[in-house]
Amino acid sequence: MAIPITYNIRNLAVRKTTTVMTALGIALTVAVLLAAFSLVEGLKTAFEGSGHPLNVLVTRKGSDSELSSNFQRSVFNDMKFKQGIAKDKKGDPLASLEMVTVITLASEEFPEGTNVNVRGVTPTGIEIRDDSKIVEGRWFTPGRREVTVGSSVAKRYPAAHLGGKLKFGRGEWDVVGVFDTPQMARKSEILTDLNQAAGDFERTEVLSSALIRATDEVARQALVNDLSYDSKLNVQAKTEKEYYAMQTSSGDLVKYLGTFVAFIMAVGSCFAAMNTMYAAVARRSKEIGTLRILGFSRVAIMTSFLAESLMLATLGGILGILLVVPLNWVSTGIGSNVTFSEVTFQLRVSPQIMLRGLVFALFMGAIGGLLPAFSAARKQILVALRQI
């Protein structure tokens, strides 16, 4: 015969101060863990959702990123007529030679400045990025010292607002437009004319990469293989999606640190739950004796106290989830260890992350409640009744 669950609910309500304090300890532990997970989930969503499925990014063989790639203009001229590259309305290949560099911009959060990507592109590069739409102003004019910034850059850096001026290279550049795109990683870039930027940074022949659009998925894979195994070109190719997905490693350190801190806090929370339940067992010794006389078995008593600990942990888990829910969709930035620039993204507290937090809380409740429940079940009837 099982002990009614209302018995445990009533006991938690009677010891409300201890219950609330223990639940808050568990809640803080769950909140730390979920905050780290929400950051990693947001970063993962930002990068995995970036990149066109038919785009192929080509860099110099052996380079880890576009920033460390020395891509020759002559190599681009040799590869842009490869089979499988899509063509625009004029019949020209959809292949864009590009240059990537990093500048420092001050934000309200970091007045000393953070790194931001500047990407020099050709008009074909804009055409390939067909999901990027102007929301303010216009696209930059080739041959002029003008830039068009991603919406995240415009929001985060005061100098990058429409009509502002950015200082890099050999002088100032006018911000003439703001573009938006569903792809979070691209929103964190500044686009400008390739030749103008290459001249400013004295990189007219040695640039960074090429972005090409394949005609279909079969041609995309054939292009990746063809370019990667062409010893004359000495380049490496991967899909644009693969390139962005590789950058999710930027959040690994935060994830590991968050998990480590949560683990340390979890040990403390387990002891807090254990102390609470041991105190409950000691205080309710006469109740345990009475329950045994009424016919409840040792297993029923052990199950009842363990269930009470799990209920306490569930309360803490729910409170922890409520603490991190306001973080959902909050925009923040993190430095990428691939591009050495800041990427803006939104924290994500998904249902899966909430479920992980609840399971983690139940785990703490089970660990913290097991020994006190076992102790309650082992109490001898006569010993328990002597305390009446």
Side-chain angles (χ1 to χ4, degrees), residues 86-107:
K87 292 186 169 51
D88 61 15
K89 294 177 181 176
K90 297 178 183 176
D92 296 325
L94 283 174
S96 172
L97 181 60
E98 305 189 348
M99 189 201 81
V100 177
T101 190
V102 171
I103 65 171
T104 302
L105 289 181
S107 64

Side-chain angles (χ1 to χ4, degrees), residues 1 3 7 284-297 301 379-388:
M1 184 171 58
I3 299 174
Y7 168 75
R284 287 148 60 188
S285 181
K286 58 184 180 182
E287 292 180 15
I288 295 170
T290 305
L291 289 170
R292 291 293 312 281
I293 291 175
L294 291 174
F296 290 103
S297 67
I301 291 174
K379 273 190 177 296
Q380 299 295 324
I381 296 176
L382 289 178
V383 173
L385 291 178
R386 282 198 193 106
Q387 299 180 17
I388 297 177

Side-chain angles (χ1 to χ4, degrees), residues 92-132:
D92 296 325
L94 283 174
S96 172
L97 181 60
E98 305 189 348
M99 189 201 81
V100 177
T101 190
V102 171
I103 65 171
T104 302
L105 289 181
S107 64
E108 293 180 359
E109 189 176 355
F110 298 104
E112 67 279 11
T114 52
N115 288 346
V116 180
N117 263 359
V118 173
R119 183 180 292 275
V121 299
T122 62
T124 305
I126 301 293
E127 190 174 350
I128 292 178
R129 293 170 172 79
D130 48 8
D131 58 356
S132 298

Side-chain angles (χ1 to χ4, degrees), residues 345-367:
F345 64 99
Q346 294 175 322
L347 301 179
R348 292 290 306 277
V349 186
S350 63
Q352 290 81 6
I353 287 181
M354 293 183 193
L355 183 61
R356 285 184 213 168
L358 200 55
V359 170
F360 185 60
L362 288 172
F363 175 75
M364 286 190 286
I367 296 295

Side-chain angles (χ1 to χ4, degrees), residues 36-46 346 348 350 353 356:
F37 281 176
S38 68
L39 190 148
V40 175
E41 182 71 15
L43 196 61
K44 185 178 175 184
T45 303
Q346 294 175 322
R348 292 290 306 277
S350 63
I353 287 181
R356 285 184 213 168

Side-chain angles (χ1 to χ4, degrees), residues 102 105 107 109-110 114-117 152-153 156-157 185 188-189 332-336 339-344:
V102 171
L105 289 181
S107 64
E109 189 176 355
F110 298 104
T114 52
N115 288 346
V116 180
N117 263 359
S152 295
V153 176
R156 199 164 175 80
Y157 304 98
S188 302
E189 290 188 333
T332 185
I334 189 171
S336 167
T339 64
F340 299 103
S341 60
E342 187 181 77
V343 177
T344 305

